Amino acid sequence: MIRFWFLLLVLIQLSQQNQTGVSQCGPQNLTVSRSDQTVLVEWEDAASCSALNDPILYNVTILVENQEIHSDGVWVAPGLVGSVHSWNWTSPLPMDCAAHTVRLRAQIDNQPSRPGQERTLPDKEAIYNRPVFPQDAVLQAGSLASFCCKVPDDQQFDKMHLDGNTGNTTKISEHRYALTVRLKPVKESGAVVLCETKSGREYGSIVYIGYPPGDKDLQCETRDLESVECRWNEGRNTMVKLKSQTSYQLDGSPCDSSSELRCSKRVKIGGGERNWTLTAQNVFGQVEIQDSADLSRRVHMFAPHGLSVGDVKARSVRLSWSWTVQQYHSLNLSCQIIVSDGSFLQIKHGVGLKAAVLTDLRPNWEYEVKVRCGTAQHFWTWSDWSSRVSFHTEGDAPDALDVWMQKKGNQTVIVWKKLLANQSHGDVTGYEVTWARTGGSDRLSKEEVSASVHEYTLDGDAVVTVTAKNQHGRSPPSIITVPATSSDETSMNLSCFTGSDGGLNLSWFHHPEASCGYIVDWFPVLEDDPVDWLKLPPSLNSVRIKPKSAAAGRRYSVSIYACRDGAPMLLQRKDGFFTEKLPGKQTKLFQPLSYTQRGSDVEIHWDPVPLTQQPACIHGYVLYYSKNNDKPVSVTTENPAGSSLTARNLESGSYTFTVAARTAGGAYGNTTLQVLLNDQDGLSNIFISLGAVFILLFLITVLCYRHWACIKETFYPEVPKPNMADWFTSPVKSVNPYYPSELGCHGEENMAVPELLLKPAEPLNNNNSDQEDMAVMSQAPPLYQNNPALRRHAVSTVFPNLTYNLPVADPERPADPERPADLEPCGYHPQIQAEVFGQNRAAQKPIICVSGYIMVPQQSQ
């Protein structure tokens, strides 16, 4: 019994000791740190924990803004009690924007230990003391960065962004927000982080985003053969020079002139290669670049010193200079001299070159020269240029004149270009012109021309020589032969050209007679401006010419000549425009405008367009025509010399015709003509029909008349009326007693009946009057009326009595069986009444004569 109570007492004491150990066990020496967004926690066990044989559970709790955001447990086995324990965790929130508190407490056998420990990782608000932070931070491009915004209590957050990049915005608390964004460089002056509230207020900060150094291409050389000088390229811009300058070291020695990307160091120059290392470093890191070189072959000389001139002549000068580095005198050098007009002269000389002579200079010319040199053996690079020096060469006789000619009617103008300053070699005092006729005459004519005149006019063909004079002498003679005007020149076909960009590209075939080249000239056609020209060598057959002032729409004449012994020969000639003028709204260009209608075709005519009204090359014409304002129809021609166009197959009606000239810039000069067309085919048909009817009626009338005349002659012959004149006292002329008969309408012979005339003074049976006499005359047979001889004999013949010696039928003669019974024999039938020749003659029975003649009385011998 005593033993039982003893054991119970021991157990109670052990239990009390165990509870005392658990209550005293816990973490100690707690430390909390961070690396970017990672929380690092380290601690040790209390000394009382070592007596425990149970595992220990450590509870880790993370709080942000007094709110638990994460918890975790760490078990420590009994064998590890007494060692240092660690735990890490990556926070989802920007740690710069919110303070992170770590609480650590031990638990043994589900019994809490003594109160645990806690540590707080502060944010950067206290450091910057601004609503937006960090401020003026230098951040590396490509990294992930967080920016914090703490809005005042009386404001509500709206948005955050970095130069427009909104990134990922996280809410930490009601008034605390974070912006997480991948950084990109914007500009060297920095990027702006803005935090905006809903009331429109803005809070911001500036950060600098950049790169580590990117220098490259190290190159080392020597200039004085006593030191090394290295240069390099910076590479990409670090973008943080305002906050973190890049520092440089050459083989471990700091570079003083690193801002110029150049670094030097005194070394001993010897033969053989060696390595040179340059280190570049900034806040983000460093880079090393190297170069291997034998400096004895990389000599970069200093510029020549003290350049001067001497022994200046018309076409040459002597230059001299010196060296500031003594070692240069032992080097084999090559020097390059540049003069002010851009020409180069390279001279290779011996050791220590320090003088040169320039030749082929222009007389009376201002020059400016400079010199640079380099090693001839193992050439590395040229030195810097020396200072410039100026000099003026002496004068000389002028160069030969550039002479040409221009035809103006029957005269020829000899022209020459004014000598430039580099050609006159002094002030020109005048010109001398001499010429001789090309007809074999040896007589020379000479005339002085003032310096301000550059042309001379003469008549006919001649050989002309022109020279220029100045105070130093005369120029070489310039000779040109003026040819006689040929028909080839006047009849040459002038094609219209169009230039481009104010110029004209010309090309032609080589000519075998062009022994001294070609001449291209041009001048305005409608103005009295002088000719301009260009002379080319025989090897060239193309050129681009451009007048000095080619106004748009200005017409030029361009000619190509072959230069040969004697007079130049014309090869081509063109008229056109270097710059065409866009046609304006000019109307009524074609005046007068007329038309000709040929059936259903209408031909529109116009006069040639004057050259003064041609702002561009005319490539043809277009004729628009429409009927009653319908859709117009066009007819075109590509002949620029055309003066008419024809619209075909037109119907009658009112037409509008418009003529325009076609150019590359469009049509212009619209001229309109209104025409009312008639149906000429209908009128022609009417006229033809009327003509046919008229001809038919005429033929019918003629046939009817001839038929009636035949009937009349056959059935109603005209009986001559006796003339009551004194037969014996009236003079009688000899008349052919027989008259040849005419063919009748049926082919039979009709006898011509003589007309019997009655004198007005001797009426016959008191039954005839003057009117009846006229009636008798008018009713005579046609042959008798129309034969002047018969009329003359009829008028002049008179009959003395009332009887006629006419043969009559013999009563005893047997009757002709073929003769009609009612026909009476031919003979005279006395006229009983006067109305036989009157209006009632048709009622009389006709007297039909079959044959025989009416005898005319003959004059007695």
Side-chain angles (χ1 to χ4, degrees):
M1 186 68 181
I2 295 173
R3 179 178 290 182
F4 171 76
W5 289 109
F6 176 76
L7 292 174
L8 181 61
L9 180 62
V10 171
L11 290 174
I12 292 173
Q13 289 179 348
L14 291 174
S15 175
Q16 290 178 348
Q17 291 178 356
N18 187 45
Q19 289 180 355
T20 302
V22 171
S23 63
Q24 296 298 320
C25 180
Q28 65 180 10
N29 300 328
L30 176 64
T31 61
V32 178
S33 62
R34 56 169 289 191
S35 174
D36 293 330
Q37 292 293 108
T38 301
V39 178
L40 301 176
V41 181
E42 292 183 349
W43 70 93
E44 296 177 354
D45 301 315
S48 59
C49 297
S50 58
L52 300 176
N53 293 323
D54 297 326
I56 303 174
L57 174 63
Y58 287 97
N59 293 319
V60 182
T61 304
I62 307 295
L63 297 94
V64 175
E65 294 285 323
N66 298 320
Q67 294 182 4
E68 181 179 332
I69 64 171
H70 184 73
S71 63
D72 196 5
V74 179
W75 285 94
V76 178
L80 297 177
V81 174
S83 62
V84 178
H85 313 295
S86 64
W87 176 83
N88 63 77
W89 171 77
T90 301
S91 174
L93 300 178
M95 301 189 66
D96 289 343
C97 303
H100 284 61
T101 300
V102 179
R103 289 180 180 176
L104 184 64
R105 190 171 185 178
Q107 183 178 353
I108 303 172
D109 196 14
N110 293 327
Q111 295 183 13
S113 66
R114 65 179 183 180
Q117 292 183 321
E118 70 176 34
R119 298 286 185 272
T120 300
L121 293 173
D123 56 25
K124 295 185 178 181
E125 178 184 1
I127 300 175
Y128 298 106
N129 195 24
R130 289 185 181 181
V132 179
F133 54 89
Q135 292 277 344
D136 297 331
V138 180
L139 306 174
Q140 185 171 353
S143 63
L144 195 66
S146 297
F147 303 94
C148 311
C149 175
K150 182 179 180 182
V151 298
D153 295 339
D154 58 347
Q155 298 288 327
Q156 288 185 346
F157 175 83
D158 185 17
K159 61 182 178 180
M160 285 185 72
H161 60 87
L162 173 65
D163 275 347
N165 186 359
T166 56
N168 183 25
T169 303
T170 303
K171 179 180 179 180
I172 299 174
S173 65
E174 189 65 27
H175 297 284
R176 191 182 293 264
Y177 292 83
L179 172 67
T180 303
V181 63
R182 184 73 63 182
L183 298 178
K184 294 180 180 180
V186 180
K187 48 189 176 181
E188 286 192 71
S189 58
V192 178
V193 181
L194 283 180
C195 178
E196 301 179 13
T197 65
K198 292 185 177 180
S199 63
R201 297 190 64 178
E202 293 182 346
Y203 306 93
S205 68
I206 298 178
V207 295
Y208 298 89
I209 306 170
Y211 300 98
D215 300 83
K216 59 183 179 179
D217 302 332
L218 180 67
Q219 193 175 78
C220 299
E221 61 189 13
T222 182
R223 307 206 67 176
D224 55 6
L225 299 173
E226 294 178 351
S227 63
V228 61
E229 183 175 293
C230 297
R231 299 175 182 270
W232 62 92
N233 294 325
E234 183 181 18
R236 68 181 178 183
N237 191 355
T238 62
M239 304 293 289
V240 291
K241 293 180 180 179
L242 296 177
K243 288 294 181 178
S244 178
Q245 282 284 356
T246 303
S247 60
Y248 296 94
Q249 289 183 344
L250 180 61
D251 281 353
S253 301
C255 301
D256 297 334
S257 58
S258 58
S259 59
E260 300 178 1
L261 303 179
R262 183 181 65 186
C263 186
S264 60
K265 181 179 180 180
R266 294 193 67 84
V267 293
K268 182 178 180 181
I269 304 299
E273 291 187 358
R274 59 164 293 182
N275 292 330
W276 308 94
T277 302
L278 179 74
T279 304
Q281 184 176 5
N282 70 358
V283 66
F284 301 124
Q286 69 177 26
V287 64
E288 288 186 352
I289 52 178
Q290 292 183 339
D291 182 32
S292 178
D294 180 359
L295 296 184
S296 63
R297 298 189 176 189
R298 289 189 179 183
V299 180
H300 184 185
M301 301 179 64
F302 290 108
H305 177 71
L307 180 64
S308 61
V309 298
D311 195 16
V312 179
K313 296 181 180 179
R315 302 180 185 272
S316 64
V317 68
R318 178 180 176 82
L319 302 177
S320 59
W321 59 90
S322 62
W323 300 111
T324 57
V325 177
Q326 187 65 30
Q327 287 85 341
Y328 291 173
H329 293 282
S330 59
L331 297 178
N332 188 13
L333 305 179
S334 296
C335 294
Q336 193 178 60
I337 304 171
I338 184 173
V339 295
S340 53
D341 63 352
S343 62
F344 287 86
L345 177 63
Q346 195 173 44
I347 302 176
K348 293 183 179 180
H349 211 289
V351 177
L353 178 64
K354 56 182 180 180
V357 176
L358 294 181
T359 57
D360 298 327
L361 301 179
R362 298 191 184 104
N364 192 39
W365 194 254
E366 184 74 20
Y367 281 100
E368 193 175 67
V369 296
K370 56 184 180 180
V371 181
R372 64 181 181 181
C373 299
T375 55
Q377 186 179 7
H378 308 303
F379 177 82
W380 170 241
T381 185
W382 292 109
S383 70
D384 298 332
W385 287 106
S386 68
S387 58
R388 299 174 180 268
V389 62
S390 300
F391 62 93
H392 194 100
T393 56
E394 297 180 352
D396 202 353
D399 292 343
L401 293 170
D402 188 358
V403 180
W404 187 232
M405 61 182 176
Q406 182 180 13
K407 293 278 189 176
K408 290 186 177 180
N410 295 327
Q411 293 183 323
T412 302
V413 180
I414 305 300
V415 292
W416 55 88
K417 293 183 179 180
K418 181 181 178 181
L419 292 174
L420 302 177
N422 61 343
Q423 298 170 330
S424 62
H425 311 323
D427 296 331
V428 175
T429 58
Y431 303 95
E432 183 179 275
V433 181
T434 59
W435 73 95
R437 298 298 177 188
T438 57
S441 174
D442 295 335
R443 180 182 176 184
L444 291 177
S445 300
K446 181 185 298 185
E447 188 164 341
E448 298 290 332
V449 179
S450 65
S452 60
V453 178
H454 304 95
E455 63 179 35
Y456 185 80
T457 304
L458 54 82
D459 298 328
D461 51 347
V463 178
V464 184
T465 302
V466 186
T467 58
K469 298 182 294 183
N470 67 4
Q471 65 271 29
H472 302 286
R474 293 175 177 267
S475 68
S478 299
I479 302 174
I480 186 171
T481 301
V482 179
T485 302
S486 64
S487 59
D488 294 340
E489 296 184 11
T490 57
S491 62
M492 182 166 289
N493 183 23
L494 297 179
S495 58
C496 189
F497 68 83
T498 301
S500 60
D501 297 329
L504 177 65
N505 295 318
L506 293 173
S507 62
W508 57 92
F509 292 108
H510 283 292
H511 198 278
E513 294 191 37
S515 58
C516 52
Y518 301 92
I519 304 100
V520 180
D521 72 2
W522 60 93
F523 60 89
V525 175
L526 303 177
E527 290 135 17
D528 195 22
D529 287 2
V531 66
D532 200 359
W533 67 95
L534 185 64
K535 294 183 178 180
L536 303 173
S539 59
L540 292 181
N541 65 332
S542 63
V543 70
R544 177 176 176 83
I545 59 175
K546 189 172 184 178
K548 298 176 182 177
S549 58
R554 195 179 192 188
R555 194 178 192 94
Y556 277 80
S557 176
V558 177
S559 303
I560 302 174
Y561 292 84
C563 177
R564 58 180 180 174
D565 293 338
M569 179 174 58
L570 179 63
L571 300 179
Q572 295 182 26
R573 177 166 290 166
K574 300 180 180 181
D575 271 16
F577 303 85
F578 288 97
T579 303
E580 289 188 324
K581 186 177 181 181
L582 293 178
K585 297 182 179 180
Q586 180 184 3
T587 58
K588 299 181 179 181
L589 177 65
F590 303 93
Q591 295 291 350
L593 198 62
S594 60
Y595 76 99
T596 300
Q597 183 177 357
R598 296 183 179 89
S600 62
D601 298 343
V602 175
E603 184 177 11
I604 304 298
H605 310 270
W606 62 88
D607 292 338
V609 181
L611 293 181
T612 55
Q613 298 184 24
Q614 296 184 20
C617 287
I618 294 180
H619 301 294
Y621 302 93
V622 58
L623 170 65
Y624 301 97
Y625 60 92
S626 61
K627 180 181 179 182
N628 299 327
N629 297 324
D630 291 342
K631 183 178 179 181
V633 181
S634 64
V635 180
T636 61
T637 177
E638 296 182 356
N639 181 15
S643 59
S644 66
L645 281 170
T646 301
R648 302 186 182 279
N649 302 323
L650 303 183
E651 299 176 354
S652 60
S654 177
Y655 281 84
T656 300
F657 295 91
T658 302
V659 180
R662 298 170 57 231
T663 67
Y668 81 105
N670 295 8
T671 306
T672 302
L673 177 65
Q674 299 286 342
V675 176
L676 179 61
L677 300 182
N678 297 320
D679 189 357
Q680 288 194 349
D681 290 341
L683 293 176
S684 300
N685 293 333
I686 292 174
F687 288 142
I688 292 172
S689 300
L690 291 176
V693 171
F694 176 78
I695 293 173
L696 181 60
L697 292 176
F698 177 76
L699 292 176
I700 294 173
T701 303
V702 171
L703 292 176
C704 291
Y705 176 78
R706 287 179 60 84
H707 186 68
W708 170 250
C710 291
I711 296 174
K712 182 178 177 182
E713 291 176 4
T714 305
F715 297 101
Y716 302 99
E718 295 293 340
V719 179
K721 189 176 181 181
N723 194 334
M724 304 305 296
D726 189 356
W727 185 273
F728 300 98
T729 60
S730 297
V732 178
K733 296 182 179 179
S734 177
V735 180
N736 190 350
Y738 301 100
Y739 292 93
S741 62
E742 293 182 6
L743 291 178
C745 58
H746 301 290
E748 71 274 10
E749 293 182 352
N750 297 331
M751 63 181 177
V753 181
E755 183 178 8
L756 303 180
L757 300 178
L758 178 64
K759 290 186 178 181
E762 298 177 4
L764 178 63
N765 295 331
N766 296 326
N767 292 327
N768 295 323
S769 65
D770 295 339
Q771 289 78 6
E772 293 174 340
D773 296 336
M774 297 301 296
V776 172
M777 174 66 74
S778 64
Q779 295 175 7
L783 178 61
Y784 198 85
Q785 290 181 353
N786 297 328
N787 195 323
L790 296 180
R791 291 179 59 90
R792 182 171 63 251
H793 292 295
V795 173
S796 60
T797 303
V798 295
F799 297 88
N801 52 27
L802 299 176
T803 61
Y804 294 87
N805 292 323
L806 298 175
V808 294
D810 186 358
E812 302 296 328
R813 185 177 179 179
D816 189 352
E818 297 179 1
R819 179 177 178 181
D822 57 346
L823 293 180
E824 297 182 3
C826 290
Y828 173 71
H829 298 270
Q831 301 181 11
I832 302 173
Q833 295 180 354
E835 55 267 17
V836 173
F837 297 95
Q839 299 293 330
N840 298 325
R841 182 179 57 184
Q844 304 281 338
K845 183 179 180 180
I847 301 174
I848 302 175
C849 298
V850 177
S851 61
Y853 291 90
I854 298 176
M855 305 299 294
V856 179
Q858 302 293 322
Q859 186 177 1
S860 60
Q861 299 296 326

